């Protein structure tokens, strides 16, 4: 018999295929899947300061709820807001914007107070 490939080639290919399948499985676990949302037009999609915004929003028919994702890049945070009606969703988004802006102000104040000149006695 004449072999074109050595017998170790089959084992090598098996290891590559198994490694590829494991990597694909890990990638699929890391991906976030979002449900199909029916689009909803909201009045307030950006905070008054412009530092936070609504990324995804809509009506999720499976739960019968309105869903929005509030994103604040400055704090590296994402919050999902869920409500029964559109007006309640807009109100919760406004409260979330106020909360996030307060956290931004606290973060700025703490950073400013860590400066050495604020602790000198004159």
């Amino acid at each position: 018999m004449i072999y074109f490939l050595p017998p170790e080639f089959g084992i090598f290919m098996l290891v590559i295929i198994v490694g590829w399948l494991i990597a694909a499985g890990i990638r699929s676990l890391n991906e976030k899947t979002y449900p199909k949302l029916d689009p909803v037009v909201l009045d307030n999609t950006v905070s008054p300061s412009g530092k936070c915004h609504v990324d995804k929003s809509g009506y999720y028919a499976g739960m019968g709820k309105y869903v929005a994702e509030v994103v604040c890049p400055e704090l590296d945070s994402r919050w999902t807001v869920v409500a029964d009606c559109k007006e309640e969703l807009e109100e919760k988004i406004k409260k979330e914007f106020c909360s996030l802006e307060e956290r931004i102000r606290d973060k700025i104040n703490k950073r400013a107070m860590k400066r050495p000149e604020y602790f000198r006695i004159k």
Side-chain angles (χ1 to χ4, degrees), residues 1-45:
M1 282 183 115
I2 300 173
Y3 292 106
F4 292 109
L5 298 172
E8 295 84 15
F9 183 75
I11 296 171
F12 177 71
M13 289 303 294
L14 181 67
V15 169
I16 288 176
I17 290 171
V18 168
W20 179 76
L21 288 173
I22 290 173
I26 291 172
R27 270 194 309 269
S28 71
L29 289 176
N30 288 337
E31 292 177 359
K32 286 189 175 181
T33 57
Y34 291 98
K36 175 74 173 128
L37 296 175
D38 298 330
V40 174
V41 178
L42 298 174
D43 293 338
N44 53 346
T45 57

Side-chain angles (χ1 to χ4, degrees), residues 12-112:
F12 177 71
M13 289 303 294
L14 181 67
V15 169
I16 288 176
I17 290 171
V18 168
W20 179 76
L21 288 173
I22 290 173
I26 291 172
R27 270 194 309 269
S28 71
L29 289 176
N30 288 337
E31 292 177 359
K32 286 189 175 181
T33 57
Y34 291 98
K36 175 74 173 128
L37 296 175
D38 298 330
V40 174
V41 178
L42 298 174
D43 293 338
N44 53 346
T45 57
V46 179
S47 67
S49 67
K51 295 181 180 182
C52 305
H53 64 278
V54 175
D55 194 19
K56 296 179 178 114
S57 64
Y59 178 73
Y60 181 47
M63 284 191 323
K65 304 269 184 185
Y66 288 86
V67 179
E69 187 173 11
V70 179
V71 178
C72 185
E74 197 163 311
L75 296 173
D76 293 329
S77 64
R78 292 174 112 50
W79 297 94
T80 303
V81 179
V82 180
D84 292 327
C85 63
K86 183 180 170 186
E87 293 78 22
E88 184 183 352
L89 180 69
E90 290 175 350
E91 187 63 35
K92 285 186 176 184
I93 289 173
K94 285 181 187 177
K95 288 180 183 178
E96 193 64 40
F97 283 157
C98 291
S99 170
L100 289 171
E101 287 182 0
E102 184 66 32
R103 287 177 54 199
I104 289 171
R105 281 192 294 275
D106 288 345
K107 182 179 176 183
I108 291 170
N109 289 339
K110 286 179 184 176
R111 193 174 343 152

